[in-house]
Amino acid sequence: GAVVSQHPSRVICKSGTSVKIECRSLDFQATTMFWYRQFPKQSLMLMATSNEGSKATYEQGVEKDKFLINHASLTLSTLTVTSAHPEDSSFYICSASEGAAGYTFGSGTRLTVV
Amino acid sequence: QKEVEQDPGPLSVPEGAIVSLNCTYSNSAFQYFMWYRQYSRKGPELLMYTYSSGNKEDGRFTAQVDKSSKYISLFIRDSQPSDSATYLCAMSARASNYQLIWGAGTKLIIKP
């Protein structure tokens, strides 16, 4: 089946630094990838839709200058958390779709900002 | 009112029991209905998806969709401790470019 690889799985960074998270579709091409944020014991919150070759579409309330998304190829999307602060600490998950119902998720990235 | 409602639980049942997990929704345009399983600190894993109404079975798992009632269910037979996880329902519609709308997730605990 389809596989989405997400790295790193865990990262700790100092406040004010930037962190990049990669999401790769390993055996299929994904014109669209999605980035989610999940708080403890809560469901996934869609942050943005990443479109290959064009600007990402951000959900209401998500700062596009803070969460930079780049989808440079059909198999790679990156999320950069810029000038991270402790309130950005969360679980970030990407997903990619092969079709209408075939969503595959990465394993997630636990970001801790100290 | 949320578009998709799901009881967060936790739901605790003994090993071997039949588990019933449910979601209700308000948007009649939803066409694809999915169930994901998420273990702690991992990304969600697609268990089953169903298009429109009907039943779908895969091993110990059965998904049901009743569009007239706007109600979907996931049944787990012969539940195992390894089934302990959070189960999320998700739905999408062609009209909204198949964007997934999520339930809150139900935490399931299977006691040995």
Side-chain angles (χ1 to χ4, degrees):
Chain A
V3 177
V4 172
S5 175
Q6 185 175 344
H7 293 281
S9 59
R10 189 182 305 176
V11 59
I12 301 173
C13 71
K14 291 185 177 179
S15 185
T17 62
S18 296
V19 174
K20 180 184 285 188
I21 304 170
E22 290 190 351
C23 182
R24 294 180 183 272
S25 56
L26 296 187
D27 49 4
F28 66 100
Q29 294 183 333
T31 55
T32 304
M33 290 186 176
F34 305 89
W35 286 96
Y36 293 85
R37 185 173 180 176
Q38 188 176 32
F39 293 100
K41 300 183 180 181
Q42 295 189 26
S43 189
L44 294 89
M45 181 189 76
L46 179 65
M47 297 175 64
T49 301
S50 169
N51 304 297
E52 188 268 337
S54 63
K55 291 182 179 180
T57 303
Y58 290 82
E59 295 300 301
Q60 190 174 9
V62 178
E63 299 176 59
K64 60 181 180 181
D65 294 330
K66 176 129 187 97
F67 299 100
L68 299 179
I69 291 173
N70 184 283
H71 195 157
S73 75
L74 287 171
T75 59
L76 174 63
S77 176
T78 61
L79 168 68
T80 301
V81 182
T82 63
S83 186
H85 288 93
E87 58 265 30
D88 298 324
S89 298
S90 190
F91 192 56
Y92 294 87
I93 309 173
C94 70
S95 77
S97 174
E98 285 190 277
Y103 289 86
T104 302
F105 285 79
S107 55
T109 299
R110 172 78 54 191
L111 170 64
T112 303
V113 185
V114 298
Chain B
Q1 182 188 9
K2 294 181 181 178
E3 276 193 283
V4 179
E5 298 277 1
Q6 184 178 11
D7 187 336
L11 175 63
S12 182
V13 301
E15 182 177 357
I18 296 175
V19 175
S20 173
L21 302 166
N22 313 292
C23 289
T24 59
Y25 62 95
S26 57
N27 187 351
S28 58
F30 286 139
Q31 301 164 296
Y32 290 90
F33 304 90
M34 286 144 279
W35 285 97
Y36 285 84
R37 177 175 62 195
Q38 185 178 24
Y39 292 110
S40 180
R41 302 187 179 186
K42 297 290 184 182
E45 169 195 12
L46 179 65
L47 278 178
M48 302 186 71
Y49 78 88
T50 308
Y51 174 73
S52 194
S53 284
N55 294 358
K56 189 172 185 178
E57 187 173 322
D58 184 2
R60 296 185 295 111
F61 298 89
T62 300
Q64 287 186 353
V65 175
D66 182 347
K67 291 194 73 177
S68 62
S69 301
K70 297 189 179 69
Y71 187 89
I72 69 170
S73 301
L74 177 70
F75 297 96
I76 307 174
R77 293 184 298 279
D78 188 24
S79 56
Q80 306 293 313
S82 59
D83 295 328
S84 298
T86 296
Y87 290 80
L88 301 106
C89 64
M91 312 176 186
S92 66
R94 180 180 180 182
S96 54
N97 203 28
Y98 304 113
Q99 177 176 325
L100 288 181
I101 307 299
W102 294 88
T106 299
K107 184 173 183 178
L108 175 64
I109 301 169
I110 307 297
K111 298 177 292 184

